[in-house]
Amino acid sequence: MPVPLLDVNAQNLPLESELQAAFTQVLHHGRFIMGPEMETFEKEVAEMVGVKHALSVSSGTDALLLALMALDIKAGDEVLCPAFTFFATAGAVSRLGAVPVFTDVCPICFNLDVNDARKKITAKTKAIIPVHLFGQCADMIPILALAKEHGLKVIEDAAQSIGARYRGTSSGTMGDFGTYSFFPSKNLGGFGDGGMLVTNDDGLAEYARVLRVHGGKPKYYHHYVGGNFRMDTLQCALLSVKLKRYAQYTADRQRNAAHYISELTKLPGVVQADPAHCKCVTSQDEWLVAQDAKIVLPVSYAHNEHIWNQFTIRVLGGRRDSLRDHLVSKKIGCDIYYPVTLDQQKCFADLPAASLSGCEVAHRVAGEVLSIPIYGELTEAQRLEVVAAIHEWLA
Ligand SMILES: *Cc1c(COP(=O)(O)O)cnc(C)c1O
């Protein structure tokens, strides 16, 4: 039986009657822009993640842009961000005329390498954007310490990690701003585009709130140039229905990840990444050779609550595309997040050399990663089919 990489209907259709009731309510009151369901949804999210202010916005991308605008990031400012992430992280920086400076990543958790970030700070560096990739938080204590030491603003790109925790604290709530995305493939998947900006800072929240509506306050009186960064009332109403189930959605993904790990580590040549090698690629490589490893499974650090937006394995020895082709031939959904690092993108080719240097680990993992189905509604039979297909490829 085919196993898709993601099946949004499996999660959404069981809620059909509740979603229809939410739609009917919005249809009847007619307040399609900033209607009452918007405030309700914002409060619900703020409560779930434990943050003072939550502003729904048009997308995760716009949440990043709005955060940067509210922090007054301008042309010529440098902003540190990982080379291995979705494009929007750096795209938002560039759109303001600021300069993304790419940092290398950890080969174990795929997140920003804080030691590399430290080396790339200059007098122009104004902010850092740690991305909590694939549903696991970056190492925030050293990142926040580095930011404090150099007076940098911190925006957590938590598009893939709403509800994940780092030492008990929710992703997105540790920096000056955190951003979430409700793109359908994210863990809290919406019915179109949507996102959220969160902060514990009253002043920043107020400024972002004004920038969200073209910078006008009161309406038609503009002290600032903002944009239209609103999320539809309807989207908020529909997402409230799903938010009530969010803890279960996360538990289902965690169960799937645990099942993969227990089944896949039984196969010869499959090992789980060891956090002990987090900071040292050389010792990790020696260890992998000693294990005769062909596939490395992802790991959740003990201090993290991983929400598994992606289950991303590393295929060693230049054989990633071979495994991908095998899974595709078996009708098993899989994809490469991300095949090209940001420092290697054409649109950034003209950035100063210092923006693009020293991202060797990122380059390497981009050639090794493959994400396999992890969505919550996967059945046990489907998971075992994925495992069997990988076993077949290894043999
Ligand atoms: C999805 C994503 C975004 C952008 O979110 P959209 O809602 O699609 O605009 C930004 N950063 C990361 C890391 C993402 O995964």
Side-chain angles (χ1 to χ4, degrees):
M1 106 199 91
V3 184
L5 183 58
L6 175 66
D7 178 359
V8 292
N9 283 346
Q11 187 163 80
N12 294 334
L13 294 186
L15 308 175
E16 190 165 357
S17 60
E18 261 184 83
L19 293 168
Q20 277 174 350
F23 170 73
T24 303
Q25 186 169 319
V26 175
L27 175 70
H28 282 251
H29 71 53
R31 294 168 61 190
F32 302 130
I33 302 293
M34 303 185 100
E37 288 83 358
M38 182 187 92
E39 203 174 315
T40 305
F41 179 58
E42 289 176 343
K43 278 202 179 118
E44 289 167 349
V45 170
E47 195 168 313
M48 180 179 87
V49 301
V51 76
K52 233 167 138 183
H53 305 281
L55 283 75
S56 59
V57 292
S58 27
S59 67
T61 302
D62 283 346
L64 287 164
L65 186 63
L66 183 54
L68 290 161
M69 288 169 74
L71 292 169
D72 277 326
I73 301 300
K74 293 185 288 290
D77 291 344
E78 291 177 3
V79 178
L80 294 162
C81 72
F84 187 65
T85 172
F86 179 61
F87 178 76
T89 314
V93 173
S94 267
R95 284 170 64 187
L96 293 172
V99 181
V101 175
F102 297 108
T103 74
D104 214 353
V105 297
C106 164
I108 308 296
C109 68
F110 306 113
N111 284 321
L112 181 148
D113 175 346
V114 65
N115 293 321
D116 189 53
R118 177 184 297 278
K119 290 184 212 152
K120 291 173 176 170
I121 292 175
T122 73
K124 291 183 185 165
T125 312
K126 295 285 154 57
I128 183 167
I129 311 183
V131 180
H132 306 311
L133 206 67
F134 303 145
Q136 166 155 246
C137 286
D139 200 4
M140 288 305 290
I141 287 177
I143 291 170
L144 291 169
L146 182 71
K148 193 166 178 193
E149 190 185 323
H150 295 273
L152 311 182
K153 302 295 182 189
V154 179
I155 300 169
E156 297 175 68
D157 182 343
Q160 302 182 5
S161 67
I162 181 170
R165 283 170 184 274
Y166 172 82
R167 301 188 190 280
T169 306
S170 284
S171 82
T173 68
M174 295 170 269
D176 295 284
F177 277 115
T179 64
Y180 304 130
S181 166
F182 307 122
F183 185 82
S185 69
K186 304 299 160 84
N187 283 31
L188 185 59
F191 304 83
D193 282 309
M196 197 160 277
L197 182 64
V198 296
T199 180
N200 282 309
D201 186 298
D202 298 343
L204 287 177
E206 176 55 24
Y207 188 25
R209 218 175 273 287
V210 177
L211 291 174
R212 178 170 64 170
V213 288
H214 299 286
K217 193 189 176 186
K219 211 173 173 182
Y220 309 123
Y221 292 80
H222 297 263
H223 292 271
Y224 322 106
V225 178
N228 173 358
F229 297 126
R230 298 178 298 251
M231 182 163 137
D232 294 337
T233 307
L234 184 58
Q235 190 66 255
C236 292
L238 297 173
L239 274 168
S240 275
V241 172
K242 294 188 73 171
L243 191 68
K244 291 180 188 63
R245 275 91 177 176
Y246 192 64
Q248 187 60 50
Y249 295 160
T250 297
D252 291 345
R253 284 174 180 264
Q254 290 168 338
R255 173 206 58 209
N256 293 349
H259 186 218
Y260 274 146
I261 289 163
S262 83
E263 292 300 320
L264 288 169
T265 48
K266 291 177 191 161
L267 306 181
V270 180
V271 298
Q272 189 175 23
D274 182 350
H277 302 297
C278 179
K279 299 277 187 296
C280 184
V281 181
T282 315
S283 77
Q284 188 212 184
D285 281 343
E286 283 165 9
W287 178 75
L288 289 173
V289 168
Q291 308 275 314
D292 199 18
K294 296 181 174 67
I295 291 177
V296 186
L297 304 182
V299 65
S300 173
Y301 286 1
H303 58 256
N304 274 337
E305 207 173 300
H306 197 323
I307 64 162
W308 302 102
N309 179 243
Q310 298 295 345
F311 190 90
T312 301
I313 65 176
R314 289 171 52 206
V315 187
L316 306 178
R319 297 184 70 211
R320 187 263 315 276
D321 292 357
S322 155
L323 176 57
R324 180 196 53 191
D325 294 347
H326 177 74
L327 294 181
V328 169
S329 78
K330 295 273 155 189
K331 296 197 164 38
I332 289 169
C334 57
D335 212 341
I336 299 168
Y337 304 115
Y338 297 93
V340 182
T341 61
L342 298 187
D343 59 297
Q344 293 178 309
Q345 299 288 350
K346 277 227 169 68
C347 63
F348 294 135
D350 294 335
L351 287 179
S355 277
L356 307 175
S357 68
C359 297
E360 285 77 21
V361 179
H363 296 175
R364 176 175 163 180
V365 295
E368 294 176 340
V369 287
L370 187 65
S371 297
I372 60 175
I374 190 67
Y375 67 91
E377 296 73 23
L378 273 181
T379 64
E380 184 177 356
Q382 286 176 311
R383 296 192 297 270
L384 291 174
E385 196 163 313
V386 176
V387 172
I390 292 174
H391 193 181
E392 199 180 270
W393 177 81
L394 282 164

